[in-house]
Amino acid sequence: MTITVTDVISILRKLGDICLVWVIFYFILKNIRNNIKLSLIFKGVVFVIVLSWISDWLGFTTIAVLLDYIIQWAPIALIVIFQPEIRTILEQLGRSQLLGRHKVLTVDEREHLVYEIVNAVDYLRKERIGALIVLERDISLGNYIDKAKKLYADLSSDLLIAIFYEGNPLHDGGVIIQGDRITCAGAVFPTSSSPKLNRRLGTRHRAALGLSEETDAICLVVSEETGRVSIALKGELLYNLTLDDVRMMLIDELRPKQDVDLDEDEIDEEEIYEENK
């Protein structure tokens, strides 16, 4: 049996088709994981589909008919009800970076970054100066950077303190850090409408939580009223943190994924070694 050039081209075309589907599927799952609202929508759709299968298997006619109507009209209902969320998701897909964060920091650069941020936060909390510091990760924040005041300056605690000083016209907005540089100041972010958020928390906390719901950014907040430090991450607000908590969270979250995987492998090897002793 001879294989012609046409057969080879046909096989390559099918392989390319399969690979493209898997790439699309991968980026959909990646954005579902990074976006709280999208994950809730996805869970709801999966729940309805699974419930439909169970009702068909058990012979629940009434429920099956109702679920069929829901599945039939669900796409239109989702577009109407979740129109703001869908628009945000599409914008997020457009901002996503295919190759991850702009710059993978070395160990020394990460230590310097954390050191400068913690020093600035320590001063800001003692002086009761409000601040919102955002660290970009895999999902690009270019849409917010475009509307803010560009700085492109080397990161230092003195510069962060000066930006958020009450007399500075940029102190009301947020600072965005890309890699180990301050990209912009005075950035405005979407505020969260989560009912779980304490009503006493101000705009900075709502903006930090809102951004963390839509991106994978690390959002650090210093309260102007209380001097307490909070971090919004993955749609969750961690309130009233100590400086040690902030330092450890930043170190852990800024580590490249391959380093985390290596540490996990080392832990697994240690556990296996202990079990075999």
Side-chain angles (χ1 to χ4, degrees):
M1 181 179 177
T2 59
I3 300 177
T4 63
V5 176
T6 306
D7 294 333
V8 174
I9 293 175
S10 177
I11 293 172
L12 291 176
R13 185 182 293 112
K14 291 177 181 178
L15 288 175
D17 186 22
I18 295 172
C19 291
L20 182 60
V21 170
W22 276 109
V23 168
I24 294 172
F25 189 65
Y26 165 76
F27 279 106
I28 290 174
L29 290 180
K30 182 180 178 181
N31 281 276
I32 287 173
R33 183 193 64 182
N34 292 332
N35 191 294
I36 304 300
K37 296 179 181 178
L38 181 57
S39 64
L40 293 175
I41 296 173
F42 180 78
K43 289 177 183 178
V45 172
V46 170
F47 175 77
V48 171
I49 293 174
V50 171
L51 189 59
S52 177
W53 288 343
I54 294 174
S55 64
D56 290 339
W57 180 58
L58 296 177
F60 294 160
T61 307
T62 305
I63 295 178
V65 171
L66 292 175
L67 290 175
D68 286 340
Y69 278 113
I70 292 174
I71 294 172
Q72 181 179 355
W73 296 103
I76 298 176
L78 288 174
I79 292 173
V80 174
I81 297 173
F82 296 103
Q83 186 268 338
E85 286 78 8
I86 293 173
R87 183 179 65 248
T88 300
I89 291 165
L90 293 176
E91 292 175 352
Q92 176 181 317
L93 288 172
R95 296 194 301 266
S96 297
Q97 302 172 30
L98 296 178
L99 299 178
R101 61 168 67 92
H102 291 280
K103 179 182 180 182
V104 177
L105 301 177
T106 64
V107 175
D108 291 339
E109 288 172 335
R110 290 201 303 272
E111 289 179 353
H112 173 73
L113 172 69
V114 174
Y115 175 79
E116 296 294 338
I117 291 176
V118 171
N119 279 353
V121 168
D122 187 27
Y123 179 87
L124 293 169
R125 71 183 182 91
K126 289 178 180 177
E127 299 297 324
R128 301 287 179 89
I129 299 174
L132 174 53
I133 303 171
V134 175
L135 286 79
E136 182 190 73
R137 295 203 287 178
D138 289 337
I139 297 178
S140 173
L141 302 178
N143 188 46
Y144 304 108
I145 295 172
D146 292 340
K147 301 174 183 178
K149 183 66 175 179
K150 313 298 187 303
L151 295 180
Y152 301 114
D154 291 334
L155 175 66
S156 70
S157 56
D158 291 337
L159 180 55
L160 285 174
I161 293 169
I163 290 173
F164 292 111
Y165 184 72
E166 189 174 355
N168 194 313
L170 298 176
H171 80 282
D172 281 334
V175 161
I176 296 179
I177 297 173
Q178 291 180 313
D180 57 351
R181 291 175 63 83
I182 299 176
T183 301
C184 68
V188 179
F189 306 113
T191 56
S192 174
S193 57
S194 173
K196 298 179 181 179
L197 192 61
N198 193 320
R199 294 182 180 180
R200 292 179 295 178
L201 297 178
T203 305
R204 286 192 181 91
H205 292 85
R206 294 185 178 276
L209 184 59
L211 185 63
S212 72
E213 291 173 345
E214 297 182 3
T215 71
D216 62 346
I218 304 171
C219 307
L220 198 153
V221 185
V222 179
S223 172
E224 187 175 354
E225 289 76 17
T226 64
R228 293 176 178 175
V229 183
S230 307
I231 288 181
L233 185 65
K234 300 175 183 177
E236 183 179 359
L237 182 65
L238 305 175
Y239 188 64
N240 196 17
L241 301 175
T242 65
L243 284 180
D244 287 336
D245 293 334
V246 173
R247 183 182 296 106
M248 294 307 298
M249 284 191 65
L250 290 178
I251 291 173
D252 185 56
E253 293 295 334
L254 290 173
R255 292 165 65 194
K257 186 177 184 302
Q258 56 266 29
D259 289 354
V260 177
D261 294 338
L262 288 173
D263 287 351
E264 290 177 351
D265 292 339
E266 291 174 359
I267 293 172
D268 293 339
E269 291 176 359
E270 291 177 0
E271 291 177 351
I272 293 171
Y273 176 75
E274 292 295 333
E275 290 175 359
N276 293 333
K277 286 179 65 177

